[in-house]
Amino acid sequence: MTRAGRPHALRWLARLALLLTLLGGGWAHAHHPQIRLGILAYRPLDVEQADWRPVLQALQRHLDGIELQTRLLSYDALDAAVRARELDAVVTNPAHYVLLQHTDGLSAPLATLVRRRHGVETTAFGGVVVVPADSPLQRWQDLRGRRIAVPHGESLGGLQLQRYELRRRGIDDRAWARVEVGMPHDNILRAVLEGQADAGFVRDGVLEALQADGTLPAGRLRVLQRQDLPGYPVAVSTPLVPEWPVAVLPSVDDDTRRALTLALLHTVPGAGQPSGEIAGFVPPHSYGAIEDVLRTLRAPPYGMPQLTWRENLALNAWPLAAATGALLGLGAVLFVIVRQRRDLRVALREKSALLDELAITAKTFDSAQGVVITDAQGRIVRVNRTFTAITGYDEAEAQGRTPGELLRSGRHDAAFYQAMWQALTQHGHWEGEIWNRRKDGSVYPEWLAISAIANAVGKVQHYIAIFSDITWRKQAEAQIEALAYYDTLTGLANRRLLLDRIDQALRLARRHRRWGAVLFIDLDLFKGINDTYGHDAGDAVLRAMGERLRATLREQDTPGRLGGDEFLVLLPAEHAQRDAAAVAARRVADKLMAVLPQPIDWQGHTLALTLSIGIALYGGAEDPDGDQDGTQVDSAQALLKAADLAMYSVKQAGRNGVAFFDPAMEAAVQQRHQMQLDLAAAIDAGELRLYLQPQVDTRNRIVGAEALLRWQRADGTLVPPGAFIPLAEETGLILPLGRWVLHEAARLLQQWQSDARLRPLRLAINVSPRQFREPDFAQQVLAAVRDRAVSPDRLELEITESVFLDDIDTARGVLRTLDDAGVALALDDFGTGYSSLAYLAELPFDVIKIDQRFVARLQNPTRQDEAIVATILALGRRLRMQVLAEGVETAAQEAYLLTHGCHLLQGYRFGRPMPREQFEALVLGQPDEG
């Protein structure tokens, strides 16, 4: 639709060249002394006569020797005159022209009408929807169920363009009531003002014309869904289409058609031409877009059966017979004339062609399109006034310079211009879109056609370029793209864009073997809000959902609205494992379940609702033997269906929940999610326990213990640490767990203070990296020992290397604060990480713990294993740190470590992790030191 205003400059040049050739032969005006022209009148006859009179007088002056008879007719009268062959040519709207071309054989367009509104000449027009100024109607969707006044069933600007826009938004003809009030279009405005209709369809310019002549007071009516296109003089509601064409009936002979065509092309906008709304004519535009609109609407002629060749022959028998006779008679006359005037035509051909070329060139320079003529070397020799208006350069500034020097924008590379000149060299012409730069530095798009002009021997003498500024078309295309790919209510991606994004995501996921997910979201009982409060309340809810989705999701996630109360979220394929993608999708779903259902205030009412969310996973590698997990999908539609089915299962289960498409995955995610909830509750429920594993010295006496966290459910079952510790790290529950362990360890040390045999024991607890990075971690530790009146050196914090590798300065400050207070510090799992000696020397650790993996190898050690352990032990002695070996299980391991100077030992050989009471009994059962 937006291409309706594109200047077809190349076709225009070709027509001019054809006219030059034809004009050389002269015309046989005597065969058709008059042309009967029928014009469709869509305004009152007195207005139409005043608008058309100047241009018709100018057209008559250009019809040398041919009398022009004109009639302003309504649709029905124009159809009857065409059927009765009372006309030779017609000027009508493009949709009516397409119908007459199919039913009565009208010719291809000879020219396109130019109108002048508010001093601006246009070759395109659009449709307008008018409503009372105080009407609540604001958008196309508001026209559903309304009475709408229209002038005639065949009106393009007054019906078909608006029908097409409604159809694009899912509103067919049955959804609104048509009130046909008849021509002219002025009747539509009266019908709306008098309350006969809620809205009206008219072509553009009618509203402004009635306001300008005082017939309609300003402010009584307004334009619905107003589209203010830059440079376009009047308001429109629809995209623009080409202005009215001029065409002739099949009974018109070729000479008369040529004469009329040349006269029309001489009657063009510009200085010295008629003033008024009808400005003149330009070379014909393409009306293919009109045919597409009519096909979509199934409007005549595409909504009626096609005539057979016999019916066409019967319908046009008399005109065919008359035309055949006329052609035979004309052939005989021409044969005689040709023989008599052969020599004269040869002598006058070149002179006539030259005169006509000069006349057409003059008219070209008066056109609304920019024109540049260069010599064979590309230097500018002539420009017209439109060139100056568009580019800002006058003729004196342009002459002698090349268009590239003046206008090149820098947006095209050398290959673009090479292809352009190659086409000019090989074919003599080039046409396309190009970006140029104005004198003020601004860049603009233009449609450019260049043709090479050669002399009689084929040598190029000049190049002629015709162009027009298409900025307004680019802006209109951007508006149309937004309507095509985004939901107008929420601003989210619509179904079309979502399907495209999902297709891309599926391809990328399979290529990179990653996993992602889609979330299908449905608002529970949304219909009740519409039924209770009205559609305005429903729209407010949908807009709020869109805003909350954008605010909650990440930038790389794609939220969209499928339609109604259904939304979709596409999570990109970022996970190497399917389970990880499922967990991430569930986390997003939980976040949405917390944010989206929050109450919405609307006009004093609180609107609340719940969500049903279905999740489907996609991606992974294709299995050549089949779908190994039963959930892989190969299309966007299949993925949408899977997520929809999952959402439907939530509906069946009572709404307000989340479900996965794969039952097995849903069960696994649900189990993990439930464990997370249970773990959060276990702290307050008193289900956590500290188990103690003994640490012994070289004399095999217990000198301390490592406190290990255990989770004992209410039914007495123990949850393995490997099942809940990683989950706590991932979800952030490790912070409250770590604080519980710290305070429980301080409480236990306080209790040991009352027993002389337990008082010397040191208790070690593990500190997670996440807990260590809390800003007030050191203050938490010091407060715990202070509140329990415990000696700080009885508490030992086991810290891994990973806590200080990212930010050594902050870690150094925390450790020194704890060391200054007397808290014991142990470097855990030494040798398994970075193990920088520089860090070890400057950080205040008291104990180095040899990782149990090194100890396990001492059962059958290699030279490398012995060297590593011996080095760690020697390093501890040199740095005056105690060395503790974990995982000691055999006598051989114990003997090797003690022989090489290890200070402390820990492992199953001395006791497994055990409840506090069992550990205390073990300590108290040791013989006293002699």
Side-chain angles (χ1 to χ4, degrees):
M1 299 288 288
T2 59
R3 296 179 181 270
R6 176 187 289 182
H8 295 270
L10 184 58
R11 184 183 296 110
W12 183 59
L13 290 172
R15 291 179 181 273
L16 294 181
L18 176 62
L19 288 172
L20 286 175
T21 303
L22 295 174
L23 290 176
W27 298 296
H29 292 170
H31 295 289
H32 213 301
Q34 66 180 17
I35 294 177
R36 299 166 298 175
L37 177 64
I39 302 173
L40 176 64
Y42 75 96
R43 296 290 311 283
L45 284 179
D46 56 339
V47 175
E48 294 280 7
Q49 289 171 352
D51 288 337
W52 277 96
R53 186 178 296 111
V55 76
L56 292 176
Q57 291 173 352
L59 182 61
Q60 177 65 77
R61 289 194 297 269
H62 295 303
L63 287 170
D64 183 19
I66 299 179
E67 178 185 1
L68 179 66
Q69 296 183 357
T70 58
R71 296 167 63 185
L72 293 167
L73 303 170
S74 66
Y75 279 103
D76 295 336
L78 184 59
D79 288 343
V82 171
R83 300 284 188 276
R85 296 300 189 263
E86 297 173 359
L87 300 174
D88 301 308
V90 296
V91 182
T92 186
N93 79 56
H96 193 212
Y97 159 78
V98 171
L99 174 62
L100 293 178
Q101 189 181 41
H102 279 72
T103 58
D104 296 274
L106 258 63
S107 69
L110 306 182
T112 292
L113 183 65
V114 180
R115 294 185 187 272
R116 183 185 296 111
R117 275 84 66 89
H118 305 295
V120 178
E121 294 166 356
T122 61
T123 59
F125 73 102
V128 177
V129 182
V130 294
V131 296
D134 58 351
S135 171
L137 306 180
Q138 300 292 333
R139 305 169 304 156
W140 288 100
Q141 290 83 349
D142 297 338
L143 298 179
R144 190 187 298 274
R146 302 291 183 169
R147 299 169 302 153
I148 303 176
V150 301
H152 193 274
E154 296 176 5
S155 175
L156 181 61
L159 176 61
Q160 307 295 13
L161 292 180
Q162 294 88 338
R163 281 184 63 205
Y164 184 77
E165 290 304 301
L166 288 171
R167 181 71 60 89
R168 287 180 57 238
R169 290 164 173 83
I171 305 174
D172 60 23
D173 295 346
R174 293 171 296 182
W176 54 280
R178 183 191 302 185
V179 181
E180 192 161 321
V181 300
M183 299 285 281
H185 283 224
D186 304 36
N187 295 342
I188 305 301
L189 306 185
R190 285 191 286 270
V192 175
L193 287 174
E194 294 170 3
Q196 300 177 27
D198 303 309
F201 293 166
V202 295
R203 74 158 276 162
D204 63 12
V206 175
L207 177 63
E208 290 84 351
L210 290 179
Q211 291 175 339
D213 62 21
T215 305
L216 176 66
R220 294 288 302 281
L221 297 176
R222 61 179 172 82
V223 176
L224 183 82
Q225 206 79 24
R226 182 186 183 110
Q227 305 290 314
D228 289 319
L229 301 177
Y232 197 73
V234 293
V236 293
S237 301
T238 72
L240 303 182
V241 296
E243 265 291 356
W244 293 10
V246 183
V248 298
L249 273 67
S251 58
V252 177
D253 60 82
D254 292 341
D255 290 337
T256 304
R257 182 186 303 183
R258 295 188 187 98
L260 178 58
T261 300
L262 186 61
L264 290 169
L265 294 179
H266 278 67
T267 310
V268 297
Q273 294 303 326
S275 60
E277 181 173 329
I278 310 301
F281 304 88
V282 294
H285 289 189
S286 169
Y287 294 91
I290 305 301
E291 296 178 356
D292 293 339
V293 170
L294 298 179
R295 285 192 182 95
T296 300
L297 298 176
R298 297 188 61 81
Y302 303 104
M304 62 175 62
Q306 297 291 326
L307 298 178
T308 65
W309 69 270
R310 289 188 177 88
E311 292 171 335
N312 277 304
L313 182 62
L315 183 64
N316 297 285
W318 185 87
L320 288 173
T324 302
L327 288 174
L328 291 174
L330 179 62
V333 173
L334 288 176
F335 180 76
V336 174
I337 294 175
V338 167
R339 289 178 60 89
Q340 293 178 349
R341 304 175 63 183
R342 180 184 303 163
D343 296 338
L344 180 61
R345 290 175 63 180
V346 172
L348 296 177
R349 180 179 293 121
E350 292 185 1
K351 181 178 179 180
S352 176
L354 179 60
L355 292 175
D356 287 338
E357 183 179 352
L358 291 174
I360 293 174
T361 300
K363 295 302 178 185
T364 299
F365 270 72
D366 289 334
S367 73
Q369 300 169 352
V371 179
V372 180
I373 299 176
T374 73
D375 58 19
Q377 287 72 44
R379 292 186 294 270
I380 298 174
V381 295
R382 289 286 305 278
V383 299
N384 68 350
R385 288 177 296 177
T386 306
F387 171 91
T388 300
I390 294 176
T391 67
Y393 293 101
D394 58 29
E395 187 167 18
E397 293 174 306
Q399 283 180 341
R401 304 173 68 181
T402 65
E405 296 175 12
L406 284 180
L407 308 175
R408 183 167 296 182
S409 66
R411 289 198 177 188
H412 304 289
D413 55 17
F416 175 85
Y417 294 103
Q418 287 177 349
M420 175 193 295
W421 281 104
Q422 184 177 1
L424 283 171
T425 303
Q426 294 179 353
H427 308 293
H429 65 270
W430 180 88
E431 182 175 10
E433 184 179 300
I434 189 172
W435 289 81
N436 276 334
R437 188 180 303 276
R438 295 185 175 93
K439 184 178 180 180
D440 62 8
S442 61
V443 177
Y444 68 98
E446 69 178 40
W447 190 262
L448 172 65
I450 308 175
S451 292
I453 308 299
N455 58 16
V457 297
K459 184 178 180 180
V460 174
Q461 298 292 306
H462 296 88
Y463 293 99
I464 180 169
I466 300 175
F467 66 94
S468 59
D469 187 346
I470 58 172
T471 300
W472 66 270
R473 179 170 65 81
K474 286 290 187 181
Q475 294 170 340
E477 288 176 349
Q479 291 179 345
I480 291 174
E481 182 178 0
L483 293 174
Y485 291 106
Y486 291 91
D487 177 51
T488 56
L489 180 63
T490 63
L492 301 177
N494 63 13
R495 186 183 191 91
R496 181 178 180 183
L497 181 56
L498 282 171
L499 290 175
D500 181 69
R501 293 276 178 87
I502 293 174
D503 280 331
Q504 295 180 36
L506 285 172
R507 290 193 295 271
L508 290 174
R510 286 193 290 266
R511 183 182 307 159
H512 299 294
R513 300 187 176 185
R514 312 293 284 184
W515 287 91
V518 295
L519 281 66
F520 196 112
I521 305 170
D522 185 86
L523 308 184
D524 297 333
L525 304 177
F526 176 75
K527 184 176 182 297
I529 294 178
N530 274 334
D531 294 343
T532 304
Y533 302 104
H535 288 281
D536 288 344
D539 289 349
V541 170
L542 295 176
R543 281 192 293 268
M545 292 300 106
E547 293 169 0
R548 291 176 181 179
L549 278 171
R550 278 191 293 267
T552 304
L553 297 171
R554 304 170 303 170
E555 184 177 355
Q556 59 265 41
D557 302 331
T558 302
R561 181 182 174 215
L562 294 173
D565 60 346
E566 294 180 342
F567 295 83
L568 194 81
V569 175
L570 171 63
L571 302 180
E574 301 173 329
H575 305 280
Q577 299 298 324
R578 186 172 179 274
D579 291 355
V583 171
R586 181 56 192 249
R587 190 178 300 120
V588 173
D590 289 343
K591 187 184 298 184
L592 295 179
M593 290 289 289
V595 174
L596 297 188
Q598 294 179 6
I600 299 170
D601 294 329
W602 180 79
Q603 297 185 0
H605 301 282
T606 299
L607 308 180
L609 43 76
T610 58
L611 307 178
S612 295
I613 301 180
I615 303 175
L617 304 178
Y618 68 90
E622 296 180 356
D623 185 353
D625 298 324
D627 184 2
Q628 61 183 3
D629 52 39
T631 61
Q632 287 188 357
V633 291
D634 57 3
S635 70
Q637 291 290 356
L639 187 59
L640 277 184
K641 182 179 179 181
D644 191 10
L645 288 174
M647 183 276 296
Y648 185 68
S649 71
V650 178
K651 294 283 190 184
Q652 288 182 318
R655 304 185 179 90
N656 191 27
V658 180
F660 280 83
F661 171 67
D662 179 14
M665 177 56 66
E666 180 183 0
V669 172
Q670 186 65 35
Q671 180 181 3
R672 184 181 178 91
H673 183 64
Q674 187 61 46
M675 179 176 287
Q676 178 182 345
L677 298 177
D678 293 346
L679 181 58
I683 302 175
D684 297 328
E687 296 179 358
L688 299 180
R689 303 284 187 272
L690 281 185
Y691 273 42
L692 307 179
Q693 186 173 29
Q695 295 175 343
V696 302
D697 59 12
T698 57
R699 296 173 297 168
N700 209 22
R701 293 189 63 81
I702 299 175
V703 295
E706 180 178 358
L708 301 171
L709 183 62
R710 295 294 184 266
W711 177 11
Q712 185 175 10
R713 293 183 182 272
D715 59 3
T717 59
L718 281 173
V719 181
F724 71 89
I725 294 296
L727 178 63
E729 290 279 6
E730 180 181 338
T731 60
L733 287 174
I734 197 67
L735 295 178
L737 289 182
R739 286 192 288 269
W740 183 89
V741 170
L742 173 63
H743 288 284
E744 187 67 13
R747 186 182 68 83
L748 183 56
L749 287 172
Q750 182 187 37
Q751 294 176 357
W752 287 352
Q753 298 296 312
S754 60
D755 191 315
R757 290 173 294 177
L758 297 176
R759 188 182 307 122
L761 297 178
R762 176 181 288 180
L763 186 59
I765 62 173
N766 290 282
V767 177
S768 78
R770 196 164 184 173
Q771 182 183 10
F772 183 85
R773 295 189 185 104
E774 283 196 289
D776 61 342
F777 172 70
Q779 287 69 33
Q780 292 180 32
V781 175
L782 298 180
V785 296
R786 183 179 61 250
D787 293 344
R788 293 291 181 177
V790 173
S791 177
D793 63 347
R794 296 299 90 195
L795 178 65
E796 180 180 290
L797 303 181
E798 294 189 2
I799 300 169
T800 61
E801 296 172 73
S802 60
V803 302
F804 53 79
L805 290 181
D806 293 335
D807 189 354
I808 183 63
D809 293 330
T810 301
R812 183 188 296 111
V814 173
L815 293 174
R816 285 181 176 172
T817 299
L818 295 171
D819 182 64
D820 291 343
V823 177
L825 301 174
L827 180 58
D828 198 9
D829 298 337
F830 183 75
T832 61
Y834 189 73
S835 301
S836 170
L837 297 180
Y839 292 162
L840 190 60
E842 66 177 284
L843 296 177
F845 286 107
D846 303 295
V847 179
I848 300 175
K849 297 190 71 173
I850 303 176
D851 187 69
Q852 58 186 351
R853 283 172 286 185
F854 296 116
V855 175
R857 295 173 187 167
L858 295 178
Q859 188 67 25
N860 295 294
T862 64
R863 286 185 301 172
Q864 291 83 355
D865 296 331
E866 293 179 344
I868 291 174
V869 173
T871 300
I872 297 176
L873 292 170
L875 183 63
R877 289 194 300 271
R878 298 286 293 181
L879 295 176
R880 297 184 180 180
M881 297 181 183
Q882 288 187 312
V883 180
L884 185 151
E886 295 181 296
V888 180
E889 298 182 358
T890 67
Q893 294 169 345
E894 178 184 4
Y896 181 91
L897 292 166
L898 293 177
T899 301
H900 288 78
C902 186
H903 305 100
L904 301 170
L905 304 174
Q906 177 183 341
Y908 286 176
R909 178 163 176 76
F910 313 106
R912 294 175 178 270
M914 61 190 71
R916 164 199 167 185
E917 295 79 10
Q918 183 179 346
F919 172 79
E920 291 177 350
L922 187 63
V923 174
L924 296 176
Q926 293 183 122
D928 294 334
E929 295 185 66

